[in-house]
Structure formats: structure tokens, C-alpha cells
Amino acid sequence: MLRLAAPLALAELGWMAMGAVDTVMAGGLGPAALGAGSLGNMIFYPTVIGATGLLLGMDTLVAQSFGAGDHMDTRRTLVNGIWLALAISPLLAGLILVLIPLLRAAGVNPVVMLLLSPYLEALLWGIPPLLLYTAFRRYLQAVNIVHPVMFALITANLINVLGNWILMYGHWGAPRMGLAGSGWSTSISRLYMAAVLLVAVLWHERESGNRLFRIPWAPNLKRLRRLVQLGLPAAGQIAFEGAVFGLVTVLAAKLDEVSLAAHGIAVQIIGTTFMVPLGISSAASVRVGQAVGRHDPHGASAAGWTALAISGMFMGSAGILLWAAPRFLVHLFIRNSAVVASGAILLRIAAFFQLFDGFQVTATGALRGLGDTRSPMLAHFAGYWIVGLPVAYLLCFPWNWGVTGIWVGLTIALILIGGTLLLVWRRRTISLAKTAESTPKNQT
């Protein structure tokens, strides 16, 4: 599990670093550019990352086929994943293009809009390679090839930094493009990531006799339908979670500047710790799916519980760190004493949900390996939208707890979601074991 999870966790941290670098480098262009970049990212990333959830069904299908020893079937899922990625891309681009005039009509600051439009238009060119990268990644990790994924993300950060420096600020004879240059640099980095994983796929094919080119490449409607059936709930779960954090940021923005700054820094810190169990979650999905494919319910159970144990150890340690040294962590971002004090309180609250945040994302991956993407979606919807968000609002405004109330609401939600998904995982593995015991060996 560690051999598979560690490179994937590093890849997720690399993804996090890319967004942080863009924000830091945009800050040198002034407040308007920084604001336009933040607004553009709030529009672009939830939309596109949510759509990549449609490809998460590849985890289930590829891993189960690989576990069953049907390597040609893994390639059929890859082919249809590529078709699905290509079909989604123009729809996403069209949706984001429609949002630009709507923002202008909604009264967004004209100076911000002047910078926002070319930035978003540059990012659009990165959508097809990002979705293709996602399809290649889901395939490769499901067949136990993960080091190219880590390599692609880490080196893409270097390309993104260099591209930002050249295109944003006009170095090496390039025009000074400002914020739009950041968008083009990001799209170039995405193209590079997709190219690296394509090379990894082709290299793997060369070693295995180029079987990928011996199967039909026409889209298979039945397999596409199955991918969408698995992927839609996963996309919904990502959307529910992303929308909540976007909405609580809007609530924090209604408070004073200190509260908003403390909230933003705390989100950045917990987002970083979250990347590690997110990588473990992908590994759990692969290992559980492979065990299901080889009809090994005990192996599936062991894989899931092992992933949960590793995730729990890491996030438990992260929770202790947040509780023991919150002021130090906030101080890494800002020196303002009021923000440091407020942020330290939020991190101590976050310490209580770290363990459960790790459980919920890892259990989500393990359940995806079983083919269950619906339970995590329902748990996230109920936990965040029915319980957590109303509690956060009530504590923040009617009860005047301020930003602290928002984070108490998030804590309650994550404890409920994590605990629920642990119980669902336990029930699913017990049911799987009983089914296997009642099935004659010759049928298995």
C-alpha cells in the first residue's frame, strides 16, 4: 500500500503546489491581478475538477479487470476513458465561456473583468490535456504504474514556474502578458503532464506487445454508460464538497478582514494535509478493486483497512501538530498578530476533524474500488449541506461566533461524514465476505 500510495500522495502535493505558486507569482502584478486570478480559479477549478470525477469510474473498472487478469479489458476501459475525456472537454469550455459575460452583467469590477477574460480563455486550452492526463493517470495507477504520475506533477511545477516567469513578466524576449501569461503557462504545463503519461502508456504497451493497438478504438456505448454511472456520483461528491468550501469562504468574506485572512490561511494548511490521504485514497481504490477482480474479499477488506490505518496515522499526527503549534503554522504565511491569533484558533478546531477527514476520503476511495460511488456522494451531501452548513451559518451569524462558528460547523460535518463512511465500508466488506462464503468455489 505504501509503495503505491507514497508516489500518489507526492503527486497530489505537487498539484497543490502548482496553484500556490500561481497565486504567489500573480501577487507581483498587483491587487487587481491577484483578485482576478482568485476569481478565475474559483470559477474554473470547481467546474473542471468536478468534471474529472466522471473519469474516476476508471479506477473501479480497470483495477477490477487487472485483478481478474483480463489485461485486454483494462485497455478497453482506457480507450473509452479517452473518448469520454474528449467528449467532456468542449462542454466544459463552453460552460466557462458562457460564464464570462454573466459575470460582466453581474457587475464585477471592470478592471478585474479586463484581466479575468483573457486569463480564463487561456486556461480553456488546458482542459483537453487535463482530462486526458486524468484518463491516463487512472489507467496507469490501476495497473500499478505510479512513478510517472509523480514525475509528471513534480516536473510540471518547474515548467509552470518557468512559464509564469517568462510569459507573465516578459522575459527572454516574450511579450509581457500579465495574468493571461499565467493561464497560458498553466495550459502548457497541463499539455506536458498529458504528454508524459501518454509516453508512459506507450512505453508500457511496447513492453507488453502493443496490445492497446489490437483492440477496437470505436467508442463502446455500454462501457461509456458504465463509466458515467460510476463517475456521476463521484463528480457530485466532489462538487458538494468544493461548493461548501466556496460558500463558507463567501460567509467568511462577510466578516472582517482578519477573519477572512485567517480562514484563507487555515484552508490552505488543511488543504495541504488533505493531499496525503487523497493519494492514499487512490491507492485504496486500486488495491481494493484488484482484490475484487481476483475474487478475494479478504484481500479487499485488508487493503481498505490498511489504507485507513495509514491515513489515520498521518492525519492523527497532523491533528496533533495543528493543536500543538497552530501559531507557528499561521506565522509561516503572515506576521499580522491578529490574523495569527485568529488562525491559531481555527487550526485548533481543525485538529478535531483531521482524523475523520482522512477517514472520509480514504473510505471513499476504498468504496470506489468496490464500485460504490453513491454512498460517499450521499454522505457528503447530508453531512455538509443538511448538517454542517446550517450549523456553520447559525453559529457564525445568529449566535455571533464569527468565523469560529463556521469551522465548528465544518468539524461536525466531517466527523459525521468520516464516521458514516467507516460504517458503510465495514458493512460492505462484511457483506462481500458473506457473499463469497455462500458462493460455491467452482462458480467463483
Side-chain angles (χ1 to χ4, degrees), residues 42 245-264 396-397 402-403 406-407:
M42 285 182 63
F245 276 88
L247 189 52
V248 296
T249 300
V250 172
L251 294 180
K254 293 179 177 291
L255 304 171
D256 57 282
E257 294 178 358
V258 170
S259 296
L260 179 59
H263 170 82
C396 179
F397 295 107
V403 72
I406 292 175
W407 280 69

Side-chain angles (χ1 to χ4, degrees), residues 60-371:
T60 307
L61 299 186
V62 176
Q64 290 186 2
S65 296
F66 185 81
D70 191 348
H71 299 294
M72 295 305 288
D73 197 65
T74 65
R75 292 169 172 83
R76 294 186 188 98
T77 298
L78 171 61
V79 167
N80 284 276
I82 292 171
W83 280 113
L84 184 58
L86 294 174
I88 297 169
S89 296
L91 299 177
L92 288 175
L95 175 61
I96 292 170
L97 282 173
V98 167
L99 291 175
I100 294 176
L102 292 179
L103 290 170
R104 189 177 287 111
V108 173
N109 186 296
V111 176
V112 171
M113 284 302 307
L114 190 64
L115 299 171
L116 177 66
S117 295
Y119 175 63
L120 282 176
E121 289 165 4
L123 285 177
L124 294 181
W125 292 97
I127 291 177
L130 176 60
L131 291 174
L132 287 173
Y133 158 83
T134 303
F136 296 146
R137 172 183 169 166
R138 303 335 287 193
Y139 170 76
L140 286 169
Q141 67 186 33
V143 297
N144 296 334
I145 301 173
V146 292
H147 287 94
V149 177
M150 177 183 67
F151 175 82
L153 258 300
I154 292 175
T155 53
N157 271 277
L158 301 177
I159 289 175
N160 187 51
V161 170
L162 181 62
N164 282 343
W165 183 74
I166 294 172
L167 298 176
M168 292 173 70
Y169 297 101
H171 293 290
W172 289 357
R176 182 183 171 92
M177 301 176 69
L179 186 64
S182 176
W184 284 111
S185 177
T186 299
S187 291
I188 291 168
S189 301
R190 304 262 163 77
L191 181 61
Y192 166 80
M193 288 159 52
V196 169
L197 293 199
L198 175 60
V199 169
V201 170
L202 295 177
W203 187 273
H204 173 62
E205 285 303 310
R206 191 183 74 166
E207 292 182 342
S208 57
N210 292 312
R211 297 178 185 177
L212 182 62
F213 304 103
R214 299 179 187 175
I215 61 173
W217 271 70
N220 183 293
L221 294 181
K222 183 178 179 181
R223 195 172 298 255
L224 285 170
R225 191 181 306 115
R226 181 60 179 152
L227 282 173
V228 172
Q229 287 173 347
L230 289 167
L232 268 179
Q237 176 242 311
I238 294 170
F240 289 146
E241 188 167 26
V244 160
F245 276 88
L247 189 52
V248 296
T249 300
V250 172
L251 294 180
K254 293 179 177 291
L255 304 171
D256 57 282
E257 294 178 358
V258 170
S259 296
L260 179 59
H263 170 82
I265 291 170
V267 168
Q268 184 77 18
I269 291 170
I270 67 164
T272 302
T273 62
F274 178 77
M275 290 299 109
V276 174
L278 184 60
I280 297 170
S281 172
S282 292
S285 178
V286 169
R287 289 286 187 243
V288 170
Q290 290 174 350
V292 170
R294 63 176 181 267
H295 303 288
D296 180 8
H298 299 294
S301 178
W305 287 116
T306 300
L308 286 162
I310 296 171
S311 181
M313 285 188 285
F314 176 83
M315 292 299 270
S317 301
I320 292 171
L321 177 63
L322 295 187
W323 178 264
R327 297 181 70 90
F328 169 77
L329 294 172
V330 179
H331 213 262
L332 295 174
F333 291 82
I334 197 168
R335 303 292 181 180
N336 184 287
S337 59
V339 175
V340 170
S342 180
I345 293 172
L346 300 186
L347 289 185
R348 282 197 160 175
I349 296 170
F352 285 96
F353 69 65
Q354 286 294 285
L355 190 65
F356 289 90
D357 202 12
F359 284 157
Q360 65 88 8
V361 69
T362 307
T364 294
L367 288 167
R368 189 164 66 245
L370 295 179

Side-chain angles (χ1 to χ4, degrees), residues 304-309 311-312 355-364 366-367 375-376 379 414-430:
W305 287 116
T306 300
L308 286 162
S311 181
L355 190 65
F356 289 90
D357 202 12
F359 284 157
Q360 65 88 8
V361 69
T362 307
T364 294
L367 288 167
S375 295
L414 281 164
I415 290 174
L416 287 173
I417 295 167
T420 299
L421 290 179
L422 274 178
L423 291 174
V424 171
W425 166 250
R426 182 174 179 273
R427 290 182 60 185
R428 291 284 190 274
T429 53
I430 291 173

